[in-house]
Amino acid sequence: ANLGGRTRWGADIAWLNLEGPISDKEMAQNPKDKSLVFNFSKETIEALKYLKITTVGLANNHTANQGAVGLEKTKNILEQAGIDANGDPNKIDGADVKHYKQGNTAVALVAVNTLSGVQGAEELIKQEKSQHNFVIILPHWGNEYQITHSGGQEKLARAWIAAGADLIIGSHPHVVQDAQVINGKLV
C-alpha cells in the first residue's frame, strides 16, 4: 500500500500492538478483578483513528481471547475503519505481512507471536529481504516485567538479523526493555 499521507504526526507508519480483540459492541469498562481475558469496546476504533494508527499487530497472546470468531470480527472492524492489521496470534504466514512503499523505500512489517512459536519466521524474513524490502520484525516476546532481554530473545534476534531483518521492535514485557545493536541493526 502507498501511505498517501494517512498519518500526520511526522511518521509514515504508525504501528501499535493491539493486545486484545475489538468487539462490535460497547463493552463494560469494569472487568472482573484480575481477569486476563480481553474484549475491547467498539470505541477502541475511535481511539486508534485519533492516534492516526496505520497498522495494528495481531501477533500476541491476547488477540484471540474471544476465539476465532472474535479475531475475525476484529479484522473486519479494523478493515472497515481503514486500519491495516498484520500478524496472527497463532501462526506465521506471508499473508499476514504488511507492505508499504514511500518513494523508493519498500517496507515489510512482520509481526510474530513468539509465545506460540517461531517456525517459518526466518524463511519469511529471507523471502521479504529477497524482494529488496526494509524488513521490520515486530516480535511479541520476552519475560514480563524484566527490563533486560533474555538469552532466548537475543538468540532469535541474531538469527533474524542473519536472515535479513533490518530492525526489530519488540513488545510483551509490560516494561521498556534494554536495546542493543547486533551487526549494525537495532534491536
Side-chain angles (χ1 to χ4, degrees), residues 85-105:
N86 82 306
D88 186 278
N90 303 309
K91 62 183 171 49
I92 297 171
D93 189 333
D96 295 313
V97 174
K98 272 303 180 204
H99 297 95
Y100 297 99
K101 188 162 175 93
Q102 188 82 332
N104 293 328
T105 303

Side-chain angles (χ1 to χ4, degrees), residues 28-82:
Q29 297 302 304
N30 296 314
K32 295 176 186 170
D33 283 347
K34 299 186 183 185
S35 172
L36 295 177
V37 177
F38 302 145
N39 198 13
F40 302 149
S41 183
K42 68 179 185 176
E43 298 156 337
T44 300
I45 288 294
E46 295 309 313
L48 295 173
K49 286 179 179 179
Y50 173 79
L51 294 171
K52 307 290 185 201
I53 300 299
T54 57
T55 314
V56 296
L58 302 180
N60 62 62
N61 58 315
H62 286 291
T63 308
N65 277 177
Q66 298 301 316
V69 171
L71 180 59
E72 195 58 36
K73 185 183 294 181
T74 299
K75 290 178 181 179
N76 291 336
I77 290 168
L78 290 165
E79 183 178 352
Q80 290 170 7

Side-chain angles (χ1 to χ4, degrees), residues 86-139:
N86 82 306
D88 186 278
N90 303 309
K91 62 183 171 49
I92 297 171
D93 189 333
D96 295 313
V97 174
K98 272 303 180 204
H99 297 95
Y100 297 99
K101 188 162 175 93
Q102 188 82 332
N104 293 328
T105 303
V107 175
L109 298 180
V110 180
V112 178
N113 179 12
T114 69
L115 307 177
S116 68
V118 295
Q119 186 173 7
E122 285 182 50
E123 293 78 17
L124 184 56
I125 293 165
K126 288 176 185 176
Q127 178 184 338
E128 291 299 329
K129 196 63 185 175
S130 75
Q131 302 297 315
H132 308 289
N133 292 325
F134 185 88
V135 182
I136 302 174
I137 310 303
L138 302 154

